[in-house]
Amino acid sequence: MPNSVKWLGHAACQITSATGKVILIDPWITGNPGCAIKKQDVKRADLILVTHDHSDHVGTDIPDLVRSTGAMVLTHPELAAVLVQSGVSPDNIINGIGMNIGGQVEWAGIKVTMTQAFHSSSIGDAVGYIIILEDGKTVYHAGDTGIFSGMELLGSIYSIDVALIPIGSVFVMDPLQAAYSLTLLKPGIAVPIHYKTFPILVQDAGDFIRLAREKAPDTRVEAINPGEEIFI
Ligand SMILES: [Zn+2]
């Protein structure tokens, strides 16, 4: 089996590695009007990454998901402490404390680097993640962010196979910034996320697809629907 990258809806994504390990990112499932699954549908999770504490990212399901799957949680120490208060066992926080921007943590053959993101949050910083799977395939989840010049560094340091890119505007990059970010990140494939969940957000990927084709013709855009996946 190849690795799969599935968009669950909004910023929630699921990576299943070729060996079957399941990584959930920002699993806002219950209450997410754009989510393709229910909490009970999650049969396996090995690693849960959280980008920041806004309710449409951290959600309310993480303590239950950790209990039902035994997944390990990775985020920064400030949000990790809040998750422990909300019922996640400290034994399920990687390193017992989490990590911070620039560092890399390896868990069961999956390497995760926390990256900066430019966005507000109540606790700690908003972040993104570079996830390197066992076979070296690399996925970037940008979290919630505006465009930033450091994306060019990320694109130089890492060979990004798939970039999960917020395009919804208002709270994150708009389609123009999102398309331009691809010229910095240079991913093989870009999957637009964080749009159409709410009426206030951009409602379709059309502008992003058009602008990405113009600005970053070397990147293939895969505008999949919630519940759909691509294979790498
Ligand atoms: Zn946010």
Side-chain angles (χ1 to χ4, degrees), residues 199-231:
I200 195 175
L201 299 180
V202 165
Q203 292 298 299
D204 68 73
D207 285 346
F208 173 67
I209 293 168
R210 181 176 54 78
L211 290 162
R213 198 174 288 143
E214 185 183 309
K215 309 268 179 219
D218 294 337
T219 295
R220 190 171 96 228
V221 174
E222 292 277 4
I224 53 179
N225 292 309
E228 292 180 348
E229 62 196 322
I230 58 167
F231 296 98

Side-chain angles (χ1 to χ4, degrees), residues 66-130:
V66 168
R67 268 190 292 271
S68 66
T69 64
M72 297 296 288
V73 175
L74 191 52
T75 187
H76 51 56
E78 291 78 13
L79 183 50
V82 170
L83 287 168
V84 167
Q85 281 168 14
S86 67
V88 174
S89 165
D91 294 339
N92 290 92
I93 303 290
I94 286 195
N95 300 331
I97 186 168
M99 68 184 300
N100 222 314
I101 293 169
Q104 187 184 69
V105 162
E106 184 166 351
W107 175 253
I110 312 283
K111 298 188 183 85
V112 180
T113 295
M114 184 179 276
T115 68
Q116 62 191 149
F118 285 84
H119 187 74
S120 68
S121 63
S122 303
I123 309 154
D125 285 329
V127 302
Y129 291 99
I130 296 275

Side-chain angles (χ1 to χ4, degrees), residues 52 54 56-57 119 144:
H52 64 298
H54 287 162
D56 57 328
H57 293 258
H119 187 74
D144 275 5

Side-chain angles (χ1 to χ4, degrees), residues 19 75 132 161 164 169 206 210:
T19 64
T75 187
I132 304 177
D161 293 289
L164 299 159
S169 194
R210 181 176 54 78

Side-chain angles (χ1 to χ4, degrees), residues 16-98:
T16 305
S17 79
T19 64
K21 297 201 184 81
V22 175
I23 302 150
L24 297 175
I25 307 149
D26 284 353
W28 175 43
I29 298 173
T30 303
N32 177 352
C35 191
I37 63 166
K38 295 194 164 43
K39 185 170 59 179
Q40 303 85 289
D41 297 332
V42 179
K43 303 296 183 209
R44 175 173 178 173
D46 296 277
L47 195 54
I48 297 175
L49 310 179
V50 193
T51 64
H52 64 298
D53 68 345
H54 287 162
S55 58
D56 57 328
H57 293 258
V58 70
T60 56
D61 296 324
I62 291 176
D64 284 347
L65 291 172
V66 168
R67 268 190 292 271
S68 66
T69 64
M72 297 296 288
V73 175
L74 191 52
T75 187
H76 51 56
E78 291 78 13
L79 183 50
V82 170
L83 287 168
V84 167
Q85 281 168 14
S86 67
V88 174
S89 165
D91 294 339
N92 290 92
I93 303 290
I94 286 195
N95 300 331
I97 186 168

